[in-house]
Amino acid sequence: MDPRPTYTITTAETHQTPAYLQHRPTPPMPLHEIPPGVELVTLPSGIRTLAYTQPTPPPMSAAPPAQPVPAWAKTTALLVPTTGFGIGAAGVGLSYAAPGLIAMSQALWAAVALIATGGAAAAALVRRCRRPVPTQITQNITATGFFGRANGTIHHH
């Protein structure tokens, strides 16, 4: 036995359509006053009424004709692999040249160090070879009074 209760299905009584829903011979408003997007439609029951409708899409046209590929696009498409291979070849060349480039950079640093030490040595040699000139400084200071302001002059001879 099935423990669920059973229900009897009945249909509602048919009744007369209310007067306000019955068929009208004329639309509820003049056709020239109907706003855009609203149309006079006939319902399945035969009643004519105003309703909002979806705009009908324009008919689909045939597929647009194929456009030829522009010349600049063809040129670019042909140059891309060439550029890629060129960059790859440059990378391989740099990997083979790396030991030589490292040696050259070390040689350049050695040359810079040689020039710097040579310049410092030359400056020291020039300073040592110059004859020192004795410098004579004369200083005159005068002041008047106990708290007077002092004035002075220095002469290099």
Side-chain angles (χ1 to χ4, degrees), residues 5-122:
T6 58
Y7 298 101
T8 306
I9 299 175
T10 59
T11 58
E13 296 178 10
T14 58
H15 60 279
Q16 189 68 16
T17 307
Y20 64 89
L21 290 178
Q22 289 182 358
H23 175 67
R24 294 183 189 169
T26 59
M29 64 189 317
L31 292 176
H32 66 278
E33 291 182 9
I34 297 176
V38 176
E39 291 184 19
L40 182 65
V41 295
T42 304
L43 299 175
S45 64
I47 299 172
R48 294 179 65 189
T49 185
L50 293 174
Y52 288 104
T53 59
Q54 296 292 329
T56 57
M60 293 293 292
S61 61
Q67 300 273 335
V69 178
W72 65 266
K74 290 180 184 178
T75 305
T76 304
L78 292 173
L79 285 177
V80 167
T82 306
T83 307
F85 286 132
I87 292 171
V92 170
L94 284 175
S95 69
Y96 282 125
L101 291 174
I102 292 171
M104 283 177 38
S105 69
Q106 290 175 352
L108 285 173
W109 280 116
V112 167
L114 179 66
I115 291 171
T117 54

Side-chain angles (χ1 to χ4, degrees), residues 136-142 150-157:
Q136 185 177 8
I137 298 174
T138 307
Q139 185 175 6
N140 297 320
I141 298 175
T142 58
N151 293 322
T153 57
I154 299 174
H155 300 287
H156 294 272
H157 296 279

